[in-house]
Structures are given as C-alpha cells and as structure tokens.
Amino acid sequence: MEVTAPSSSPDTLGKRDYVFIVNPNGANGRTGELWRKLRPQLTARLGKDWNVSEKFTSGPQNATQLTREAIHDGAAAVVAVGGDGTLHEVVNGFFDNGELIKSEDSESIGPKTALGLLPMGTGSDFARVFDLNKDINKAIDRLCRGEKKKIDVGRVIYGKERKEKFFINVADLHLSAKAGFFAGMHKQIGNLCYVIGALRGFQGHRNRDFKIRVDGGEWETWSNVTAICVGNSKYFGGGMKITPSADPSSGDLEAVIIRDHRWYNFLVKLHTLYLGSHVRQKNVFSMKVRSIDVAELDNFSNDKYPGTFIQADGEHLGFLDASITSKEFHDLSNIIMAYEECARSSCLTVSGYRHSFCHATALQAPVLDPGASLP
C-alpha cells in the first residue's frame, strides 16, 4: 500500500519522495500502531521539502522489493520503519545481482537515494550504536535534519547456489546463529526471546572444528569452536555487545571467536556479553580483520541439521554447506544513508569445506546522517 500526496498538487511539483517502508506486524503489531501516530508529525516536518510516502510490507522479503521500486522511481530516501529484520531487508533492496542499483534516470554509478531508519522493532540492535533505540523522537529529529555519516555494509554469499545477502550489523555462525534461529520463533515475548533462543540452541549443540584464514593468510585449524561472530557494528541478540570494538565506519570488521563453551559457561558469564567484557575471558578471541574465511571440518551426517547455522542481522540464511562472504559497502548514521560510488575494501568469507570458496572485497561509501540536506 502506498499513500502519497496527489501528483497534481502544485505543492508536490519538483519534490522527491521520502518513502517509509513499514512493517506493520513488527513488535507484535506495535510498530504499525506507533507509525500511525507518528505519520502526521513526519508529514508536517518533512512535507515542505519532500513528498511523504508510506508502503506497508505484506510478508518476508517484501521490503526488499519495495525498496528497489522506490529507488528506481528516484526516491530521495527510503526509511526502514521497524526492527533489525526490516532494516536488513531494506538494505538488501539497495542492491541487485551484487551491485548497487540506481534510479532509471540516474547517470551516476550509485543511486541518489538515501537510506534511513526509524527503529521500532524487538531488538533494534543497530540503532543502539547511535543511541536511537530508546527515544523515537530523537531518531525522528535526526531523520528530519538529514545529517551525513559514513558506514560500512557487509555482503554474505552462502549455499551451493551462492545466494547473496548484505548485512549492516553482525554476521555469525554456529551456536549464536542457531540461537537466533530459535529466537525468531518467540519474538512475541520481546527481548526474552533471545535468552530462550540460546537455551534451545544448546539442545543438541556440540562444538566443532573449523579451518580459518584471516586476511588471505595461512589456513589454521581451530578446535572446539562454539560460535564465530563478525561485526560491522557492536550489538546483537537484544543488546548483547558481542563485537564491542566494531565500528561501522572504520573500514574493517571485528571477528570474535568463542571456543570450548558449554551452556553453564554462558549462564555464569551472560552479563559479560551485555557489557562487552566477554572478549577478556578465557577461550574468547577477538581480532580486527579485513577478511576471514571459515571452512567446516566436521561430519554432519548424524546431525539433525545439515550443517553450521548462518545468520546475518539476526535473520536466518541457511547452513554452511558452501560459502558465505562478507563485504563492506556503505554508510549509515543515525539513520539516513546516501549511497554513492564505493571505494575501499574489506571482507569476510566463510565457506563450506566441500565447495570452492567465494572471495569478496569490502567496499565503503558515503552515507547520510539523519540531519543535513539530502541529495
């Protein structure tokens, strides 16, 4: 559904669209309710310079398609209204076949469309980095100001078919991704779903051996790995500071590898995950990387699931039976990103042992801080 001012109105002539992609069912329907209350305020504040348009998602991946349509139509900004899942889909809408898309009348390399966020979801972990998750009015203020700030975006290539997804927050695999898979089944209970997901994830879990290569160096065997998290940003799982040194505008990623942990280790040390102090604990390793490759060594033939769980931005992608590549791309700031020509690279690659590896470079591009004037 799209609602815009009548195209025949003289007030709309020459204006570009601010398109809000709304997940009405987010946070058990609270996102849709809050959006209906906030829309008049946004229209009043933005309407002088922009046409305010809204599109409601109808199901999984619909936000990606709606975003692509808005960019092709030349929107000034596409704003994700919801949580990390909605933002994840909107970010992916800026790409097609691995490349940034642009409006049909654009002659530049990248689109002239900005990406924004109004965090109204269950976790809203990406918004925490910019302190926008606690006060929606603060997010609106920054959005209306159109301030600019550079950020990075990751790319994941996975599965035998080499499917591709982009991520803006954290990509992870094994236990944490398995916990996220189960947490997604209990979003109706709020942030407690992440704790329940972790407990369910430990059922039948066993640590595994992987081959890991950092920045294209030598392969090394890591035994008894519990989870691997690669952060473009700091938080996941409803406020867990899993990659505490990650900076979404630094040009690199933080990889945290957790080894030889059991369920009781997490119960005792759960508070350290929220503080970010877990990286100082025994059997937890943190490193800054430009790229990281991971290959399975274990035999999964006796397991219930076909391989190592993979997720990005809290969204289940599949299993590590082929490859996953993370790439840096863009910019975002307290929530408006303008995508322009990319430069600079860094990447994460995780590949299944039985298949050839996909390699990717990371890119960075200028983005919009919700505040300054838009392109």
Side-chain angles (χ1 to χ4, degrees), residues 35-225:
W35 167 250
R36 283 187 281 273
K37 296 177 182 178
L38 293 176
R39 192 189 193 283
Q41 176 186 346
L42 285 164
T43 301
R45 296 184 64 177
L46 293 171
K48 180 180 178 181
D49 300 309
W50 314 99
N51 296 323
V52 176
S53 169
E54 65 183 9
K55 295 185 178 182
F56 292 99
T57 60
S58 58
Q61 309 308 317
N62 186 225
T64 297
Q65 182 58 38
L66 294 175
T67 299
R68 288 174 180 160
E69 292 172 0
I71 294 172
H72 280 302
D73 292 341
V78 176
V79 183
V81 182
D84 293 310
T86 303
L87 177 61
H88 174 77
E89 289 193 17
V90 169
V91 166
N92 278 274
F94 277 76
F95 301 88
D96 193 15
N97 293 322
E99 301 295 332
L100 281 166
I101 62 175
K102 57 186 179 181
S103 62
E104 294 180 350
D105 59 353
S106 174
E107 297 179 356
S108 60
I109 293 177
K112 293 294 186 179
T113 302
L115 167 64
L117 171 65
L118 287 181
M120 299 184 191
T122 302
S124 294
D125 283 308
F126 188 76
R128 295 174 190 274
V129 175
F130 306 103
D131 196 29
L132 296 180
N133 61 308
K134 299 177 182 177
D135 186 351
I136 191 64
N137 290 313
K138 182 177 180 180
I140 291 174
D141 288 342
R142 295 187 65 89
L143 182 70
C144 293
R145 291 197 304 270
E147 300 168 359
K148 293 182 179 180
K149 180 182 171 81
K150 289 186 176 182
I151 65 155
D152 306 318
V153 173
R155 183 173 72 177
V156 177
I157 298 174
Y158 62 98
K160 295 178 180 179
E161 298 176 354
R162 305 239 175 128
K163 296 179 180 179
E164 183 176 65
K165 289 289 183 181
F166 291 85
F167 70 95
I168 201 167
N169 200 37
V170 177
D172 55 303
L173 57 97
H174 207 17
L175 178 63
S176 56
K178 185 179 179 184
F181 174 77
F182 289 114
M185 301 177 181
H186 303 280
K187 287 290 184 71
Q188 69 276 8
I189 62 176
N191 282 346
L192 185 59
C193 71
Y194 299 109
V195 177
I196 292 177
L199 294 175
R200 289 195 61 185
F202 266 115
Q203 295 178 5
H205 169 81
R206 66 183 177 92
N207 297 325
R208 300 197 182 278
D209 298 340
F210 293 97
K211 288 174 61 179
I212 298 177
R213 179 174 63 181
V214 174
D215 295 340
E218 297 295 323
W219 286 99
E220 297 182 3
T221 297
W222 288 63
S223 60
N224 295 318
V225 173

Side-chain angles (χ1 to χ4, degrees), residues 226-352:
T226 307
I228 301 174
C229 304
V230 181
N232 179 53
S233 192
K234 300 179 187 295
Y235 299 94
F236 80 166
M240 294 181 186
K241 205 172 185 179
I242 189 65
T243 46
S245 298
D247 180 347
S249 58
S250 66
D252 56 24
L253 307 168
E254 181 182 15
V256 171
I257 302 175
I258 302 174
R259 298 173 63 181
D260 202 24
H261 273 53
R262 305 292 188 271
W263 66 270
Y264 47 81
N265 297 118
F266 279 98
L267 287 181
V268 172
K269 300 176 182 178
L270 182 62
H271 66 287
T272 68
L273 292 173
Y274 289 93
L275 296 173
S277 59
H278 61 289
V279 294
R280 298 192 293 271
Q281 303 292 323
K282 181 180 179 181
N283 290 328
V284 179
F285 306 85
S286 172
M287 65 191 84
K288 290 288 187 176
V289 302
R290 301 287 289 186
S291 68
I292 180 170
D293 300 278
V294 180
E296 294 169 343
L297 291 177
D298 288 10
N299 185 346
F300 288 84
S301 60
N302 296 323
D303 287 9
K304 180 178 179 181
Y305 300 101
T308 302
F309 280 77
I310 306 168
Q311 72 172 1
D313 295 338
E315 299 298 302
H316 175 68
L317 299 184
F319 301 94
L320 190 60
D321 59 356
S323 65
I324 184 174
T325 305
S326 143
K327 209 177 175 181
E328 273 181 50
F329 264 95
H330 296 330
D331 304 332
L332 184 148
S333 103
N334 309 355
I335 313 339
I336 275 203
M337 309 197 297
Y339 285 91
E340 301 175 8
E341 180 177 1
C342 296
R344 209 164 107 185
S345 68
S346 113
C347 81
L348 150 74
T349 307
V350 182
S351 301

Side-chain angles (χ1 to χ4, degrees), residues 22-26 29-37 56 120:
V22 185
N23 176 10
N25 299 318
R30 292 191 299 274
T31 298
E33 294 175 5
L34 182 57
W35 167 250
R36 283 187 281 273
K37 296 177 182 178
F56 292 99
M120 299 184 191

